């Protein structure tokens, strides 16, 4: 069946531009996670949702980062006034239910480059 | 504050031999540990996990060992195959936590 998909796969933005990254989770998956992976590092947690409720956004690096999942399926990660330090791969993952014991299935990521 | 550390950025192993990837953690509250494998241009895929109530979990060629007193876990791959060449991430989670805390990754190369 279809896995987690993300779009666009690559995004180049000029510093100061706003960007929106989309995640389509596996159908029926309740939980959705966003991670940021800087070059040469492991993924770092940003935020997660249970259905449409954003239950933890403690990993968002600044108030320029905003995530939503209004209908409990597709999610969008928005970054306002992008900075060079925002350059990274943004990974989305979904799982059938809450709890780390439930496998998180990752999408291929969106590589964001801020010039 | 890196709570999960993989101190070897890369590892090269001959095909057929054992690959051992190591991971250390600092947070004693972590109770669930996972290994993910990542190929270029793809997202990480789950490989194997272990709960803190166990010290070993085996799945085919893959075995994870957990040493709670040393706050150390390792992934053994036997025998190593060319398709095992990838970046391996160790991850951990605490009680009731949803998010995963990842290490920096180790790039494993299996040589023919």
């Amino acid at each position: 069946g279809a896995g987690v998909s993300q779009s666009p796969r690559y995004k180049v933005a000029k510093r100061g531009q706003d960007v929106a990254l989309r995640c389509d989770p596996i159908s029926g998956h309740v939980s959705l996670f966003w991670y940021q992976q800087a070059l040469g590092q492991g993924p770092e947690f940003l935020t997660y949702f249970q259905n449409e409720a954003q239950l933890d956004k403690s990993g968002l690096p600044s108030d320029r980062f905003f995530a939503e999942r209004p209908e409990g399926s597709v999610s969008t990660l928005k970054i306002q006034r992008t900075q060079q330090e925002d350059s990274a791969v943004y990974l989305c993952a979904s799982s059938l239910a809450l709890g780390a014991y439930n496998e998180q299935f990752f999408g291929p990521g969106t590589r964001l480059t801020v010039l | 504050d890196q709570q999960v550390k993989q101190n070897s950025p890369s590892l090269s192993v001959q095909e057929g031999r054992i690959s051992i990837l190591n991971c250390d953690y600092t947070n004693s509250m972590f109770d669930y540990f996972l290994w993910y494998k990542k190929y270029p241009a793809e997202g990480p895929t789950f490989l194997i996990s272990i709960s803190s109530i166990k010290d070993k979990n085996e799945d085919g060629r893959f075995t994870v060992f957990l040493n709670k007193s040393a706050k150390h876990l390792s992934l053994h791959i036997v025998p190593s195959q060319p398709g095992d060449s990838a970046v391996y991430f160790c991850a951990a989670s605490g009680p009731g936590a949803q998010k995963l805390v990842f290490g920096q990754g180790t790039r494993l190369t299996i040589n023919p």
Side-chain angles (χ1 to χ4, degrees):
Chain A
V4 178
S5 61
Q6 294 186 245
S7 59
R9 291 294 310 275
Y10 303 91
K11 176 70 178 177
V12 178
K14 292 183 179 179
R15 191 174 55 184
Q17 281 185 330
D18 298 349
V19 298
L21 312 180
R22 177 186 169 109
C23 173
D24 286 79
I26 294 172
S27 177
H29 277 197
V30 167
S31 301
L32 186 145
F33 301 80
W34 284 99
Y35 292 85
Q36 178 191 59
Q37 185 179 12
L39 189 64
Q41 301 297 315
E44 288 196 13
F45 170 80
L46 294 177
T47 185
Y48 84 88
F49 294 83
Q50 179 182 6
N51 296 308
E52 68 278 3
Q54 188 174 18
L55 298 185
D56 186 346
K57 53 182 181 179
S58 62
L60 296 176
S62 77
D63 57 8
R64 296 187 295 104
F65 286 70
F66 173 76
E68 60 183 4
R69 194 186 185 199
E71 297 179 358
S73 55
V74 171
S75 177
T76 303
L77 177 67
K78 297 179 180 177
I79 309 173
Q80 297 176 325
R81 305 180 303 281
T82 52
Q83 304 294 315
Q84 285 188 322
E85 61 263 29
D86 299 335
S87 295
V89 174
Y90 290 85
L91 293 164
C92 174
S94 70
S95 66
L96 195 56
L98 277 182
Y101 303 95
N102 292 286
E103 181 181 344
Q104 293 186 22
F105 294 83
F106 282 82
T110 294
R111 180 177 296 277
L112 173 65
T113 303
V114 181
L115 303 177
Chain B
D1 177 24
Q2 190 75 29
Q3 297 188 68
V4 178
K5 298 180 184 179
Q6 294 176 257
N7 292 319
S8 297
S10 63
L11 176 67
S12 186
V13 174
Q14 195 168 1
E15 182 179 0
R17 306 295 286 268
I18 183 171
S19 295
I20 300 176
L21 296 97
N22 294 302
C23 177
D24 297 293
Y25 61 96
T26 57
N27 189 340
S28 58
M29 296 300 292
F30 286 149
D31 68 347
Y32 191 64
F33 304 89
L34 310 88
W35 285 93
Y36 276 80
K37 175 180 179 179
K38 186 181 184 304
Y39 292 120
E42 296 183 11
T45 55
F46 171 76
L47 193 56
I48 192 169
S49 64
I50 187 168
S51 165
S52 60
I53 62 173
K54 295 185 175 181
D55 54 18
K56 177 182 173 181
N57 188 28
E58 192 171 352
D59 183 3
R61 297 186 297 115
F62 303 92
T63 303
V64 56
F65 295 92
L66 175 62
N67 183 333
K68 289 188 291 294
S69 60
K71 294 192 181 67
H72 177 85
L73 65 156
S74 61
L75 174 68
H76 293 211
I77 306 174
V78 181
S80 300
Q81 300 175 352
D84 297 330
S85 294
V87 177
Y88 289 78
F89 291 100
C90 168
S93 182
Q98 315 302 326
K99 67 182 183 184
L100 299 176
V101 180
F102 285 85
Q104 308 96 309
T106 296
R107 181 178 300 278
L108 175 65
T109 302
I110 306 301
N111 302 307

